[in-house]
Amino acid sequence: MMSRSYTNLLDLAAGNFAALGPAGGGRRRSGSFAPRRMPRVMTVPGTLSELDDEDDERAATSSVASDVPSSAICERLIVVANQLPVVARRRPDGRGWVFSWDDDSLLLRLRDGVPDEMEVLFIGTLRADVPAAEQDEVSQTLIDGFRCAPVFLPADLYDRFYQNFCKGYLWPLFHYMLPFAAAQSPNESGASAGGRFERASWEAYVLANKHFFEKIVEVINPEDDYVWVHDYHLMALPTFLRRRFNRLRIGFFLHSPFPSSEIYRSLPVREEILRTMLNCDLIGFHTFDYARHFLSCCSRMLGIEYQSKRGYIGLDYYGRTVGIKIMPVGIHMGQLQSVLRLPEMQQKVAELRQQFEGMTVLLGVDDTDIFKGINLKLLAFEYMLKTHPKWRGRAVLVQIANPARGKGKDIESIRAEIQDSCERINREFGQSGYSPIVLIDRNVPSVEKLAYYTVAECVVVTAVRDGMNLTPYEYIVCRQGIPSSESAPEVSGPRKSMLVVSEFIGCSPSLSGAIRINPWNVESTAESLNEAISMSERDKELRHEKHYRYVSTHDVAYWSRSFIQDLERACKDHFRKPCWGIGLGFGFRVVALDPNFSKLSFDSIIMSYGRSKSRAIFLDYDGTLVPQASLYQKPSEELVTIINTLCSDKNNIVFIVSGRSKNSLGSMFSSCPILGIAAEHGYFLRWTRDEEWQTSTQSPDIGWMQMAEPVMNLYTEATDGSYIETKETALVWHHRDADQGFASSQAKEMLDHLESVLANEAVSVKSGQFIVEVKPQGVSKGLIAEKILASMKEKGQQADFVLCIGDDRSDEDMFENIADAMKKGIVAPKTPLFACTVGQKPSKAKFYLDDTYEVVSMLSALAEVSEPDPTRWSSGQMTHSRAK
């Protein structure tokens, strides 16, 4: 029998957050605290456990009561990351802790771009094992002195969350390493590198994210605070936050690569992670490639397409616009320049210049891990010495290999490979007093590292995959030196630098003067190394000037300032639209809708239906009466019975209004003798089964089909899974079963192509849900609905009740015309107009139903209160009464 704690984790990983009960299990978790001097507190009254109980009720359909704009308190930025920008050390006597800022932390430096009036609060874990008895005191110390709120995770949970799932699964996958086999060896963090997905590790990941969420709840003011979540460790956090605070302003920045959809789709929880990221207001990436991969995943797996408007990229997610931010992070100029000013810096530079006098120094600075490509760099340098002998005895490659943060077979293998290559190259090309490779396999202090940057003629980065990599930026600043500073190391002559960088790292696109290489191509990389150090001095100066201008103006403050400004822009409408939280688990999302948009009440429509004497009912078919993806497209016996019951009421006029052909609709509803059908968006019309089909306009000239069909055939042949549906008056290209990424692109191309070819024809070319359609102008569902209502008025049956239901773009015309029907006088005054779309989405309709099942249920409820008239089943009588 499974323990209760394990079943809780299963519930959590499945997204059933409510099954866990109150946050923290209804008792005070070790490390939780009530800060004595926090300037903001929760504005929702009650304890944390009470709030979690209420959360389950709010998740269904209601909005958060606290989501009301307030200006009483200044805005604050809550920065959430796996680790705090703080270094914790035990006092020498073992009594208490000493804390200091981590000067190398990116989180600490982003404060420089935050507006002066905005306070910054950090939330994350400490890189120290703090006993449970000391956690409250440590928390209060960090809040008071550093504005940091620490999250304390149990050691076993942190191990499974960070090492197993984050570093052992997500990190390799996001760096394009597929888990072909079960994990057997730990990676650089001590975790299994590239191991297969394990449900228990995912459960630990979600549970750890919930602990971060609990800490945020303790300190947040949801009306005034912005929350900025960092990196792949906390991708589940936005759903927890959005569930509790519907209008909370949430940003997320991914510091690692985002893989292509072909890699990402192997992730068993791929949709869960995409949906939780879409619960943010702004999602940031270092490069357009990473953003493009994310957008492609959203399109292929969720069917969500992006739009670009005035330079901003956005995804429409249930009425909310989720912004996409592309901005590579920068370095902190002040920190580097402060090190360059240190007296010992000048001394170290002098030592290195003496050591490498007469040599051309190439430099590599990398962590020892499986993606940095250090050995590829060594092999390329070896090949350069072989093919360009002039550099023997003159060129030196200094490789700083920062020690791995853990142990494992992968790391040991890489380290051994690097050592073997260094020994072989030095043995083959070394001379007395000359070693072509200088390997520094230890922690290198900042002063020493920056001194190497200062003396190096070229920096080489051969990573096979890396999120950003700021090594080139740091090198450029060091080569620039500190102007007009006596204590700064001298940079002889004009400032110059050269970069050879992998095309697979995030900083590569921003360094337009660098020589970009494919590190897997050793021979080509070797030629690039030779080109870099052989380049003219003037070229090196020009490239350096260009790079320094970019690096100095696009620092970490510029990056954070730009992100915060876009986050504010993305959230500007938060308090203008009503919103509802719907869904369970990671399917939870917030729907932002028009204030007048609401769910259709069965009681309300039944009451209006019962009071009326002349009713018009317009029903779309696909996606409204049957699901779009249904393999069985014919109406069920239940649906036919409901429609016949509605039709048999003498007060009802019922029409199916669809884009399908007249033959298709006529065949499917052959057992409905008194059902009206408007086929091909209303071009063909009949009031009963036994009537002849009428046309809504004069017989069209269909000569345009001979022009359009060859164009559509071209795209059909090139797009596997697509086909053309030929109707009497229209052509429809379907691509539901094709690859959605490619088919969507093809649909846009076809739309432009057809509009160009048919520019002088009386036709309209429109795209819809997985279709591109060409049809005659002046034909739409809206116009035919208006024509039917006008005809009813002419026959003395002016409608005093109108129900119109549809699900896609073509139905929006019908909703719009129905809304104007009363102004045009074709329906009775004060007629209840029920324009209803299927699914909660932005629409011209005033009402919605969730799915086709609810539509059929609603029609069934109307059928139950209808008054069937047996005499109406006489087709001759019906023809006379309805069509004459």
Side-chain angles (χ1 to χ4, degrees), residues 735-779:
H735 58 87
R736 176 182 292 278
D737 298 326
D739 179 273
Q740 287 309 305
F742 180 58
S744 177
S745 174
Q746 290 287 80
K748 293 175 183 177
E749 289 289 332
M750 179 191 288
L751 194 69
D752 292 340
H753 196 164
L754 288 171
E755 286 178 343
S756 175
V757 170
L758 302 173
N760 297 321
E761 302 295 323
V763 296
S764 63
V765 185
K766 292 186 176 181
S767 63
Q769 206 166 27
F770 303 112
I771 66 167
V772 174
E773 183 172 26
V774 188
K775 62 181 181 180
Q777 290 179 352
V779 175

Side-chain angles (χ1 to χ4, degrees), residues 370-371 373 376 462-465 502-504 517-525:
I370 57 179
F371 296 112
L376 293 173
T462 54
V464 297
R465 189 69 61 179
S502 166
E503 63 190 53
F504 303 119
I517 50 103
N518 174 4
W520 297 105
N521 190 334
V522 172
E523 294 81 5
S524 177
T525 302

Side-chain angles (χ1 to χ4, degrees), residues 495-538:
R495 273 50 170 166
K496 59 186 179 180
S497 63
M498 270 309 302
L499 291 167
V500 177
V501 299
S502 166
E503 63 190 53
F504 303 119
I505 63 176
C507 68
S508 174
S510 61
L511 298 170
S512 56
I515 299 176
R516 299 190 182 97
I517 50 103
N518 174 4
W520 297 105
N521 190 334
V522 172
E523 294 81 5
S524 177
T525 302
E527 290 303 315
S528 296
L529 295 180
N530 175 62
E531 178 187 355
I533 56 180
S534 301
M535 192 172 291
S536 69
E537 298 299 298
R538 182 55 183 161

Side-chain angles (χ1 to χ4, degrees), residues 698-719:
Q698 295 179 352
S699 297
D701 176 9
I702 58 173
W704 58 266
M705 284 191 175
Q706 298 177 3
M707 303 167 62
E709 193 165 11
V711 174
M712 299 176 84
N713 279 329
L714 288 174
Y715 290 89
T716 303
E717 292 171 4
T719 311

